[in-house]
Amino acid sequence: MDTNDIDEEEFGFSRNYFLAKESGSSIKKSRSKISDIGVIDEQELLEAMSRIEPKHEKEIKSLKDSYRSLYSQWRFQIRCGFGLLHYGFGSKRTLLEDFASTALNDYTVVVINGYLPSVNIKQVAAGLADALWEVLKAKGKTSAASSPSWKQTTSSQAMDEIISFLNGPWGDDDIFICIVVHNIDGPGLRDSDNQQYLARIAACSHIRIIASIDHVNAPLLWDKKMVDLQFNWIWHHTPTFELYTIEGMFFPLILTNGSSSQNAKSASIVLQSLTPNAQSVFRVLAEHQIVHPDEEGMQISNLYAICRERFLVSNQVTLNSYLTEFKDHDLVKTKRHPDGEDCLHIPLSTEALQKLLQDIS
């Protein structure tokens, strides 16, 4: 091939390239928008999903039964001080809770639902310390009359005091609290601070951790020190192929018109995990909102007066602790009343509130 042929070939290629660019620029762009997509009602989609018949039930049951033969091995690994991390397709919620209820019934087990949108890690840590305190009292390792040190410190010092207590030298290696963390990679626990706190807690001598992950990038949450020295993970591939029914309730459905039914279900699950007094305080607020739907909300002073009259709280501090818990779980929002006082409002419709009160009664 001579030089003239090469030049003609390169010229032809260049000419075709610019012709293609010119013709491409003349193509009309679509005026369609994502907002133009026809979406269906959320409740309609949920009803349609509920009518889907489950498949491979026998195979799934057989798979879960096969994991039961590993319970003794998992228990041995926990007693040796390792953390268990379960991964694989499918919800592992029932698997981990079955393991805890059958193989760890000699120990105190605390369950953390990491799939909840807002999980308060400091409240979790305080709950673990309270649980260990009760175990120590039952075994006579500490005086029942003495008061835990973390309850006498300020909130900024409380976490360090709690971790120091959980790591205390109580003289018995078999005294520990087991933590079951569903979705340790969940949105409420995914930030760096919460993972650092969880790693410090897991490294305590009287804590053992069993957790599950589902996000493909979950291992990126930890560095080498956290994996090998603090969590001390042993990885277990335990796919269950079960639906993420409970975990999925807290995420908005794609291509649906939002409704309050999903939020009401989430609120019901959260409220059922709270104390009876906390539920009663929420009921007072909900009943006021149902009777006065046009108001900005219920004034905190009025709520305190009614709750004190019904012996639900003894002081403002107790009420504030309940309200903080409500706000952490997005059950209650604060609005400004025209007279300047803060009011409490539940972000649900009247119908959803009535259904919610029936669920928790």
Side-chain angles (χ1 to χ4, degrees), residues 136-337:
L136 293 173
K137 284 200 300 183
K139 292 182 177 289
K141 296 291 183 179
T142 186
S143 172
S146 61
S147 177
S149 59
W150 75 86
K151 293 187 177 181
Q152 302 171 355
T153 58
T154 62
S155 57
S156 60
Q157 299 171 320
M159 185 60 79
D160 291 335
E161 290 286 345
I162 288 173
I163 291 176
S164 176
F165 174 74
L166 295 175
N167 204 29
W170 302 113
D172 191 341
D173 294 336
D174 204 41
I175 295 179
F176 53 80
I177 305 297
C178 295
I179 315 174
V180 175
V181 187
H182 298 304
N183 294 97
I184 196 171
D185 56 343
L189 298 174
R190 200 173 290 167
D191 63 274
S192 177
D193 289 341
N194 280 336
Q195 290 296 325
Q196 289 288 347
Y197 278 132
L198 283 171
R200 291 177 63 192
I201 291 171
C204 293
S205 57
H206 298 287
I207 294 294
R208 301 291 185 273
I209 187 168
I210 308 104
S212 67
I213 57 173
D214 285 291
H215 199 286
V216 65
N217 292 324
L220 298 178
L221 294 171
W222 313 305
D223 57 30
K224 183 175 177 59
K225 175 186 175 183
M226 295 168 71
V227 170
D228 295 338
L229 299 179
Q230 294 180 308
F231 286 119
N232 201 15
W233 292 129
I234 292 182
W235 297 66
H236 289 281
H237 184 221
T238 52
T240 63
F241 300 97
E242 288 194 320
L243 297 175
Y244 293 95
T245 305
I246 301 298
E247 297 91 331
M249 291 179 64
F250 301 92
F251 294 90
L253 298 176
I254 302 174
L255 299 182
T256 60
N257 284 323
S259 68
S260 59
S261 59
Q262 192 78 358
N263 292 331
K265 290 179 182 178
S266 303
S268 176
I269 294 175
V270 172
L271 284 170
Q272 289 172 9
S273 68
L274 302 181
T275 63
N277 269 16
Q279 294 179 18
S280 298
V281 171
F282 184 86
R283 179 180 291 277
V284 171
L285 184 58
E287 289 174 346
H288 179 275
Q289 185 166 315
I290 291 173
V291 176
H292 306 90
D294 298 327
E295 292 186 2
E296 292 290 329
M298 188 176 188
Q299 295 183 355
I300 296 178
S301 58
N302 293 343
L303 177 63
Y304 174 66
I306 295 175
C307 291
R308 187 176 175 84
E309 182 181 345
R310 297 183 185 181
F311 300 101
L312 300 177
V313 299
S314 57
N315 51 57
Q316 186 72 44
V317 175
T318 305
L319 177 63
N320 289 341
S321 67
Y322 291 148
L323 296 180
T324 300
E325 201 159 14
F326 296 158
K327 292 175 183 177
D328 287 342
H329 292 93
D330 294 326
L331 296 176
V332 169
K333 302 291 185 183
T334 303
K335 289 186 174 182
R336 180 71 65 178
H337 196 268

Side-chain angles (χ1 to χ4, degrees), residues 13-260:
F13 175 80
S14 302
R15 182 172 180 274
N16 291 335
Y17 171 78
F18 287 108
L19 286 175
K21 291 289 289 182
E22 289 176 5
S23 62
S25 61
S26 63
I27 298 175
K28 294 182 179 179
K29 295 183 179 179
S30 173
R31 296 181 179 274
S32 301
K33 301 177 181 178
I34 293 179
S35 58
D36 297 333
I37 299 175
V39 296
I40 64 174
D41 181 71
E42 184 176 317
Q43 189 61 35
E44 183 181 346
L45 178 59
L46 290 173
E47 290 175 359
M49 291 171 60
S50 66
R51 291 193 294 268
I52 298 176
E53 295 184 2
K55 298 180 180 180
H56 310 295
E57 289 183 296
K58 291 183 180 179
E59 290 81 359
I60 290 175
K61 183 178 184 303
S62 176
L63 179 62
K64 290 179 64 178
D65 288 343
S66 68
Y67 293 142
R68 283 178 165 265
S69 63
L70 301 174
Y71 283 6
S72 58
Q73 175 190 339
W74 296 352
R75 177 188 168 97
F76 175 74
Q77 291 170 344
I78 287 173
R79 294 192 63 183
C80 289
F82 292 99
L84 308 185
L85 186 65
H86 294 260
Y87 67 99
F89 183 79
S91 172
K92 292 160 282 294
R93 183 172 171 273
T94 55
L95 172 65
L96 296 190
E97 292 191 359
D98 181 65
F99 167 62
S101 61
T102 55
L104 301 178
N105 48 12
D106 295 337
Y107 302 98
T108 299
V109 178
V110 176
V111 177
I112 303 173
N113 295 320
Y115 50 78
L116 291 175
S118 56
V119 181
N120 191 318
I121 195 65
K122 293 183 179 180
Q123 290 183 358
V124 169
L128 293 172
D130 286 333
L132 179 59
W133 179 261
E134 294 300 324
V135 172
L136 293 173
K137 284 200 300 183
K139 292 182 177 289
K141 296 291 183 179
T142 186
S143 172
S146 61
S147 177
S149 59
W150 75 86
K151 293 187 177 181
Q152 302 171 355
T153 58
T154 62
S155 57
S156 60
Q157 299 171 320
M159 185 60 79
D160 291 335
E161 290 286 345
I162 288 173
I163 291 176
S164 176
F165 174 74
L166 295 175
N167 204 29
W170 302 113
D172 191 341
D173 294 336
D174 204 41
I175 295 179
F176 53 80
I177 305 297
C178 295
I179 315 174
V180 175
V181 187
H182 298 304
N183 294 97
I184 196 171
D185 56 343
L189 298 174
R190 200 173 290 167
D191 63 274
S192 177
D193 289 341
N194 280 336
Q195 290 296 325
Q196 289 288 347
Y197 278 132
L198 283 171
R200 291 177 63 192
I201 291 171
C204 293
S205 57
H206 298 287
I207 294 294
R208 301 291 185 273
I209 187 168
I210 308 104
S212 67
I213 57 173
D214 285 291
H215 199 286
V216 65
N217 292 324
L220 298 178
L221 294 171
W222 313 305
D223 57 30
K224 183 175 177 59
K225 175 186 175 183
M226 295 168 71
V227 170
D228 295 338
L229 299 179
Q230 294 180 308
F231 286 119
N232 201 15
W233 292 129
I234 292 182
W235 297 66
H236 289 281
H237 184 221
T238 52
T240 63
F241 300 97
E242 288 194 320
L243 297 175
Y244 293 95
T245 305
I246 301 298
E247 297 91 331
M249 291 179 64
F250 301 92
F251 294 90
L253 298 176
I254 302 174
L255 299 182
T256 60
N257 284 323
S259 68
S260 59

